[in-house]
Amino acid sequence: MEKTWYILQLKAEMKRKTWWIIPAAMIAVALLVSQMRIPNGENVSVGLCLAEDPMAEAIAAGLSQRESVFEFIVFEKESELRKALETAEIDSGFLFSEEFEEKVKKGCSKELITFLRTPFSAKGTVAKETLYAVFLEKYGEEILLDGRKEIYEEDRKDLVPFLLERNAEYLKSEEFFRTEVEAIPVQETSDKEELTDIYPIQGIMGIFLFVLLWMTFGRRFEGNGRGICLALDRKRQKRFEYLGYLAAVTIPSVTGIGVVMAVGESRGVVIELFRMFLLVFIGALWVSIVGGWFRSSMALSAWVLAFVVIQLVLCPVLINISAYLPAVNYIKYLFPLGWYV
């Protein structure tokens, strides 16, 4: 009997023109999301636009030769640098002004270098310190020579060799800045997923299915939305409605699996199928239970929106807050999407 109910409701769903909009929307949104570049906290690439200035090029060469955690990438045009920053290809960037060397020699200190960043730039401050350190190495001699009169109250040319010698000595030695490296044992990490892992494609597919389940539930508030259910006893009504939820998300869930595999965000075929299985069956059960609280379509609409927002926050769709609140790893299982991502 249950099999017949499921097949009949699946055929009824497939006859609805609006029902086919969901799989099409899932594909369209997945294509859009797959083109998004979500900033990576481990990105160590920093962009440089040198404005074809010799001194800026010397600084860039010094940055490349310097021992650093950063990877400095040179862009020929400012537009290319800004585009790389917007697409999260680089963490931050530095734009050297035109006639940079000439401005430095004239003692101009304003608007020499423009620092470009986004709200997601995580290492900008350290990158600035690295660049300014190299800049001072290149410009240190000029600072010393220009400051002779201020320091010694007279322009003594006989001090030039001494100052240059001391400057070179300080740059090469570790007299002022000494680094001691101490090796410590590192604990072996487990094979568990990183706390920073996020699943935007799976999350969006899961939200689509979650909303579709509620749309199916919401038909009961239409004129004759419950149909045959009214002719069944309470126990059979629950089973019939549950099978109706499964029928409503059958094709969209298959579409979701196909989309995830197609865009290259799969965690493996077996894992994706198992997680989707959990989402569909637990989601249908969750809607059956929680749906008993609602007596009007207005209340349903408000709460569905709230449920969507809560799941987007708790589940690693766009951000994984469990890295800061470990309890979220368990709280998310109170909602269907938590079983999928």
Side-chain angles (χ1 to χ4, degrees), residues 95-331:
L95 177 63
F96 287 78
S97 63
E98 295 183 359
E99 300 179 349
F100 175 77
E101 183 175 9
E102 184 177 340
K103 291 179 180 178
V104 170
K105 290 181 178 179
K106 290 181 178 180
C108 179
S109 59
K110 294 183 178 180
E111 300 181 356
L112 287 175
I113 303 175
T114 302
F115 176 57
L116 304 177
R117 62 185 296 274
T118 70
F120 299 99
S121 297
K123 303 176 178 65
T125 301
V126 181
K128 283 195 293 184
E129 296 296 336
T130 303
L131 183 139
Y132 292 148
V134 174
F135 171 72
L136 289 175
E137 285 183 10
K138 303 295 182 183
Y139 189 51
E141 294 181 4
E142 298 288 338
I143 296 176
L144 285 172
L145 297 180
D146 290 344
R148 282 176 298 164
K149 189 172 183 179
E150 296 178 3
I151 298 173
Y152 299 101
E153 298 183 352
E154 56 181 320
D155 189 7
R156 295 179 54 184
K157 294 183 179 180
D158 60 305
L159 290 173
V160 172
F162 170 75
L163 293 175
L164 294 179
E165 181 182 351
R166 296 296 291 175
N167 180 63
E169 182 180 339
Y170 290 143
L171 287 175
K172 295 178 181 179
S173 70
E174 294 185 354
E175 183 174 346
F176 290 102
F177 301 100
R178 179 177 289 107
T179 302
E180 295 183 3
V181 180
E182 180 180 352
I184 59 174
V186 180
Q187 295 182 352
E188 294 185 2
T189 57
S190 63
D191 294 332
K192 293 182 179 180
E193 296 175 346
E194 295 290 338
L195 292 177
T196 54
D197 285 349
I198 56 176
Y199 306 97
I201 300 296
Q202 287 90 337
I204 297 300
M205 297 300 101
I207 289 296
F208 265 107
L209 296 178
F210 179 77
V211 172
L212 181 57
L213 285 170
W214 280 114
M215 289 172 60
T216 305
F217 172 85
R219 292 175 192 158
R220 64 173 55 201
F221 299 117
E222 299 175 359
N224 191 24
R226 304 195 70 182
I228 194 174
C229 281
L230 299 176
L232 302 174
D233 58 60
R234 184 175 180 81
K235 185 177 181 180
R236 289 186 175 182
Q237 281 183 12
K238 292 296 182 182
R239 280 189 290 175
F240 185 84
E241 290 177 346
Y242 182 78
L243 292 171
Y245 300 143
L246 297 182
V249 297
T250 296
I251 300 299
S253 63
V254 174
T255 302
I257 291 291
V259 167
V260 171
M261 301 300 295
V263 299
E265 297 292 336
S266 171
R267 294 166 290 185
V269 178
V270 176
I271 293 178
E272 293 297 342
L273 288 173
F274 178 69
R275 292 291 185 92
M276 181 61 76
F277 177 87
L278 290 177
L279 172 64
V280 169
F281 283 86
I282 293 177
L285 180 62
W286 198 86
V287 169
S288 298
I289 296 173
V290 178
W293 302 347
F294 304 115
R295 295 292 180 268
S296 69
S297 59
M298 187 69 70
L300 175 64
S301 300
W303 275 102
V304 168
L305 178 60
F307 289 146
V308 168
V309 173
I310 290 172
Q311 290 180 102
L312 287 175
V313 172
L314 294 179
C315 302
V317 178
L318 300 176
I319 185 173
N320 191 346
I321 65 171
S322 64
Y324 312 100
L325 298 172
V328 171
N329 272 325
Y330 305 98
I331 297 175

Side-chain angles (χ1 to χ4, degrees), residues 21-82:
I21 295 176
I22 298 296
M26 292 173 71
I27 295 173
V29 173
L31 291 174
L32 179 63
V33 173
S34 65
Q35 299 300 316
M36 293 173 57
R37 292 290 188 91
I38 299 177
N40 183 0
E42 299 179 359
N43 188 358
V44 293
S45 298
V46 177
L48 302 172
C49 185
L50 308 177
E52 299 182 354
D53 184 90
M55 189 172 189
E57 292 174 357
I59 292 174
L63 288 169
S64 300
Q65 297 168 3
R66 188 184 185 89
E67 185 178 350
S68 170
V69 298
F70 295 106
E71 177 189 2
F72 291 93
I73 303 173
V74 177
F75 295 88
E76 294 184 1
K77 299 179 180 179
E78 178 183 348
S79 59
E80 295 176 354
L81 174 63
R82 291 185 180 275

